[in-house]
Amino acid sequence: MGIFGRKRRTEGGSAGRHAAPEADDTFEDEEHDEDGPELSDVSDGPFDVTDFDDDGIPRIDLGSVKVPVPDGSQVQVEMDPEAGGVRAVHVVTEQGQITVSAYAAPRSGGLWREVSSELADQLRADGAKVTIGRGVWGLEISAIIGDVALRFVGVDRPRWMLRGVIAGPQSEAAGAVEVLREIVRRTIVDRGDAPMPVRTPLTITLPEAVAEHIAAQQQQG
């Protein structure tokens, strides 16, 4: 049985029930190059909005990404005071906090391989213990910083890249991986047609009810 429930409601959306995908969780202490296509298999998600057939799963609509929310979780919005917009939207589960972000990418793919290498270097510079392995869509990064376990996954598609990360206690690390992959797998990306530089974050917009709630809180405080 999967982690999603049909009846749980959150601000802006909920999600349906599906089984978690399987993956090869072999990890190594150092990064390694592996031959293979730059673009991962498009048949089993995440999906581009132009190729997606409605599956009846409710999702929270954040404009550039439409993200399923596991049963029993919460949605938290992180605002950017300087820019005046939304910095990130987090899905908080029992296993950890999940953040899914989409970026403009080349049609040929390959952006995640570049980004993951840079990310691993930065994590090591910050004192994390980093391991690199292969998962559902290719390279995955596992990192330990203090008592916190992190897992990063990335998916290359033509013109966009989706990155997901979960941060939580080490005791929940094994289950956290499945939760993260399942959410990423069922996310829908709306890249739009406008040209933009590679690596540009796709804009996040909030559902009207959530935006109104945040605006009211800001006025009060």
Side-chain angles (χ1 to χ4, degrees):
M1 181 178 294
I3 61 174
F4 295 112
R6 283 282 183 185
K7 296 183 180 180
R8 168 65 62 178
R9 298 178 62 188
T10 61
E11 292 181 325
S14 58
R17 181 180 293 111
H18 285 271
E22 298 178 353
D24 177 5
D25 282 327
T26 301
F27 275 72
E28 302 176 358
D29 290 333
E30 299 294 338
E31 286 190 71
H32 54 279
D33 292 329
E34 294 169 335
D35 294 332
E38 295 289 1
L39 293 172
S40 48
D41 181 18
V42 301
S43 63
D44 197 26
F47 299 97
D48 189 277
V49 68
T50 59
D51 300 325
F52 180 71
D53 293 327
D54 186 16
D55 57 6
I57 298 176
R59 294 168 170 85
I60 182 168
D61 189 345
L62 302 175
S64 58
V65 288
K66 297 167 177 54
V67 183
V69 181
D71 186 26
S73 63
Q74 297 180 341
V75 175
Q76 292 183 353
V77 179
E78 181 181 350
M79 302 300 293
D80 187 339
E82 296 183 0
V86 181
R87 178 175 294 163
V89 176
H90 311 290
V91 178
V92 183
T93 71
E94 293 181 356
Q95 292 77 20
Q97 176 179 283
I98 296 171
T99 309
V100 178
S101 307
Y103 302 83
R107 290 184 181 275
S108 58
L111 180 58
W112 172 240
R113 182 175 292 274
E114 298 177 13
V115 171
S116 62
S117 177
E118 296 168 4
L119 179 58
D121 289 342
Q122 182 60 56
L123 287 165
R124 292 188 182 102
D126 291 339
K129 175 178 172 54
V130 177
T131 53
I132 307 296
R134 289 193 67 85
V136 177
W137 301 281
L139 294 177
E140 293 187 2
I141 300 174
S142 177
I144 302 295
I145 303 178
D147 295 330
V148 178
L150 300 165
R151 179 67 71 99
F152 296 83
V153 302
V155 185
D156 281 313
R157 295 284 190 262
R159 303 182 68 238
W160 56 261
M161 181 199 78
L162 189 68
R163 189 189 78 172
V165 56
I166 186 167
Q170 293 188 43
S171 60
E172 297 289 341
V177 176
E178 293 185 1
V179 175
L180 173 62
R181 289 173 179 157
E182 196 164 355
I183 287 179
V184 169
R185 183 170 180 249
R186 290 165 177 81
T187 294
I188 303 167
V189 178
D190 188 349
R191 160 67 171 76
D193 296 326
M196 62 182 72
V198 170
R199 300 192 182 211
T200 300
L202 303 189
T203 302
I204 296 174
T205 58
L206 298 176
E208 184 176 354
V210 178
E212 290 176 353
H213 177 69
I214 292 175
Q217 286 185 324
Q218 290 176 335
Q219 291 178 353
Q220 294 174 359

